[in-house]
Amino acid sequence: RPNLTAARLALAEVHMARRDYAAALQTVRELLQLDPGNLPAKLLRHAALVSTGNLVQARADLETALKEHPGSREVLLALASLNLAERRYAEAEQQFRKLHESAAPGDLRALIGWTETYAAQGRYDQAIAVLKKELARDEKRSAVRLALANALARAARWDEAIAHYSRLIAENPKAGHLYLRLGEAQRRKGDLQGGLASFRKAVELMPKEPAALLALALIQDQMGQYADSQQTYEKILQLQPDHPIALNNLAYLLAERGGDLDRALTLAQRARQKLPQDNNVADTLGWIYIKKNLADNAIDIFRELTRKEPGNPTFHYHLGMALYQKGDRVAARQALQNALRNKPAPDEAARIRELLSKLG
């Protein structure tokens, strides 16, 4: 039934959920040819345009939609969100606040947008005050409590955030996403054991969710539980073979802990294909080149990295190592001296000085 617009709209929503914005735009384009006045389709097109950074066209579409549907709450919410995306904070705040005052019970989109406008400006205390006032009207509104917990976390008020996440979990103990948020707040507070337990629970509840497994792997790395983190990265890649962070971090672990360097190189190359502009991913690849005595390849990478980030001591240090491996002692000494001038961490500074001493 090629003229079934509801199916086309649902398909476009699936494309949006998968972040395939080009496909979403094409599907909406076809839908609007069948039904030019379909407002949900126009709003979905707007969302896809915003997601691709085409804010000029997104605004033009909204202005047209507002003329066609004057006073439409959905269009006004989209316009306020666009103002927020464009950092037109005064307009966004005014629009969200007005929409919140006229919102139907249970519709918290304007409230969340209003507080997000504060948070985007670093005005966390104001966002928190609004959410606390709203929660006081009805303590049972979990969506408001979650928004408050998130705002507290962004303000680095960890104890308060943890208390609200914990209460939400008590009300909904099977919500894996809440354990993820709780674990991150615990980790940032410095409670690594608590964070580890929360992330393990998140994985237990969502065993096929890469985000939960990644959070667990990262805290295992942070705690020095490298054998465990290696297993967790492997699980991520079983679910999502091209997960760039898992590819990169597993490659680094293999290189550092005596693993298969050929596999480490393959993983690192795949990670760089996925994140070609990520300097840390490039650093991992260059480090593996050093481990494999491929000095020329490593030098090419680290020269580029030191050009991009001239103040990063680690990149200068790794360039010095690659040059030392190649036998270019003069250039290696210069790179290592540049590393020291950029104030590396004490343990890295000691390794740099040790290598300099070998150069004489």
Side-chain angles (χ1 to χ4, degrees):
R1 296 175 58 185
N3 294 334
L4 189 59
T5 57
R8 289 184 185 272
L9 184 64
L11 178 60
E13 290 171 348
V14 171
H15 288 317
M16 286 293 293
R18 298 177 63 185
R19 299 184 181 182
D20 188 348
Y21 303 122
L25 287 167
Q26 177 61 31
T27 303
V28 169
R29 188 178 300 114
E30 294 167 356
L31 192 163
L32 289 173
Q33 288 174 351
L34 296 169
D35 183 5
N38 191 306
L39 180 58
K42 292 180 178 181
L43 290 170
L44 202 144
R45 169 183 158 82
H46 162 78
L49 288 169
V50 171
S51 297
T52 56
N54 191 347
L55 302 185
V56 174
Q57 185 60 52
R59 181 170 292 279
D61 280 10
L62 278 185
E63 290 173 351
T64 299
L66 197 57
K67 291 177 183 177
E68 296 172 349
H69 304 272
S72 166
R73 182 174 183 81
E74 298 303 317
V75 176
L76 290 171
L77 277 166
L79 184 58
S81 298
L82 180 59
N83 283 329
L84 173 56
E86 291 184 330
R87 301 182 182 180
R88 297 163 69 162
Y89 297 127
E91 293 174 69
E93 179 186 339
Q94 182 182 30
Q95 289 165 336
F96 279 129
R97 182 185 293 203
K98 184 177 180 180
L99 286 165
H100 174 59
E101 290 170 353
S102 62
D107 185 353
L108 301 177
R109 292 174 295 171
L111 174 68
I112 301 304
W114 179 14
T115 55
E116 278 294 313
T117 303
Y118 283 143
Q121 301 170 79
R123 296 161 63 186
Y124 300 115
D125 289 344
Q126 288 172 277
I128 290 166
V130 168
L131 289 165
K132 283 186 173 180
K133 182 178 178 180
E134 194 68 27
L135 186 62
R137 296 177 181 175
D138 184 353
E139 291 279 332
K140 295 181 181 179
R141 289 191 294 174
S142 59
V144 178
R145 188 177 299 281
L146 177 59
L148 174 58
N150 292 341
L152 288 163
R154 290 171 73 176
R157 290 164 60 169
W158 306 121
D159 288 331
E160 291 179 84
I162 288 167
H164 285 286
Y165 287 133
S166 298
R167 177 162 172 173
L168 287 163
I169 287 170
E171 296 169 356
N172 190 2
K174 299 296 184 181
H177 70 96
L178 292 176
Y179 282 98
L180 273 181
R181 293 178 184 272
L182 173 62
E184 183 61 17
Q186 291 168 320
R187 185 188 73 81
R188 289 181 175 270
K189 180 188 173 186
D191 178 10
L192 298 185
Q193 288 294 343
L196 180 65
S198 294
F199 290 143
R200 281 178 174 160
K201 186 65 177 180
V203 169
E204 177 188 324
L205 293 167
M206 304 184 297
K208 294 186 178 181
E209 175 51 60
L213 287 162
L214 181 62
L216 177 60
L218 291 173
I219 201 169
Q220 288 169 333
D221 272 349
Q222 188 175 355
M223 297 175 72
Q225 298 177 5
Y226 300 120
D228 290 339
S229 68
Q230 183 171 330
Q231 289 180 3
T232 307
Y233 287 127
E234 295 281 13
K235 290 178 182 177
I236 296 171
L237 294 177
Q238 288 172 9
L239 293 169
Q240 192 174 330
D242 287 329
H243 192 293
I245 299 174
L247 287 169
N248 178 75
N249 291 10
L250 179 57
Y252 184 81
L253 281 174
L254 290 172
E256 283 296 282
R257 301 188 60 76
D260 183 344
L261 281 179
D262 289 333
R263 185 182 178 217
L265 179 59
T266 298
L267 293 172
Q269 289 171 332
R270 285 168 56 196
R272 198 175 190 204
Q273 287 174 352
K274 291 293 177 181
L275 295 175
Q277 303 304 318
D278 190 304
N279 292 344
N280 291 320
V281 170
D283 182 55
T284 297
L285 179 58
W287 184 245
I288 294 170
Y289 281 140
I290 290 175
K291 290 276 187 177
K292 288 180 65 66
N293 293 311
L294 298 170
D296 287 333
N297 300 78
I299 289 168
D300 288 343
I301 284 179
F302 292 121
R303 283 200 191 282
E304 177 66 12
L305 288 177
T306 54
R307 184 190 66 78
K308 288 182 176 179
E309 290 190 40
N312 187 315
T314 300
F315 295 161
H316 288 286
Y317 170 42
H318 289 171
L319 175 60
M321 290 185 70
L323 290 164
Y324 174 75
Q325 189 177 76
K326 185 176 174 62
D328 190 342
R329 301 170 72 88
V330 173
R333 183 180 294 106
Q334 182 180 359
L336 295 172
Q337 289 170 343
N338 286 338
L340 286 177
R341 277 194 288 270
N342 283 288
K343 300 179 181 179
D347 57 337
E348 187 171 71
R351 293 194 297 271
I352 294 168
R353 291 191 176 94
E354 181 182 356
L355 185 53
L356 275 169
S357 68
K358 292 179 182 179
L359 290 170

